[in-house]
Amino acid sequence: MTSKHLLLSCCVSLACHLSPAMAAPDTTQQPSHSFWQDADMLKDALPSATAVIEQVRDKASDLVLDSMNFLGVPYRRGGNSEMNGFDCSGFTRYVFEQSLGRLLPRRAAEQANDPSLLAIHSDDLKPGDLVFFNTMKHAFSHVGIYVGEGKFIHAPRTGKAVQVEDMRQAYWSKRFNGARRVPALAAALPAESSASSSIDFFSQLVQAAPTLPSISTKATNTP
């Protein structure tokens, strides 16, 4: 296990102790191959793609690891730094700027409507994708970062702190609006590749945490 993966495992475990825990939703079937295993197969077929795939892998890993560094930072409306706290879009903006040097728009809806970002179907989510939700009765009112295995990290609402939650829970699944990907994280995969036969390479690490922070059913108070 690399030091990077060990750090991610530790960070996810830390999330379990930040708030009351609950059992993670049962997943009855797991695909047999990971996204990065598929990417490795592509490398054999297309040697010229090797450098691109490795670069994308490292950037996605670094971005997710960087986001985990802020677990427990309090939510603050209008907040955009570790010292002052984060709101949802302030958190995603800060992580992308610090990790990729990419400055996203300030508000969640503006991030969702940024024409330079790629629209991603829910079946094709990869670590590092932005995920959007309708939590205030209008589209794209909340945003977080997908970390793999159906989970995302975000700054929830007043009284809460940055934490990892499961998008498959009813509260989030009913409010999911879509996802976006920064082009720097977009790997070229064969057209035949299907998300139904792939899982994120973070899966086993995220699953290492037996429980995740519980969620409130109150609307998320974010810009």
Side-chain angles (χ1 to χ4, degrees), residues 107-139:
R107 299 175 68 85
E110 293 171 346
Q111 293 178 11
N113 293 317
D114 186 334
S116 69
L117 302 185
L118 307 174
I120 302 299
H121 192 274
S122 59
D123 290 339
D124 193 36
L125 286 172
K126 301 293 184 287
D129 288 344
L130 292 167
V131 286
F132 295 89
F133 305 87
N134 179 345
T135 59
M136 299 178 69
K137 298 184 179 181
H138 61 84

Side-chain angles (χ1 to χ4, degrees), residues 27 29 45 74 106 116 165 178 180 201 203:
T27 53
Q29 183 176 358
R106 179 61 182 87
S116 69
E165 298 199 56
R180 303 288 184 269
F201 91 103
S203 295

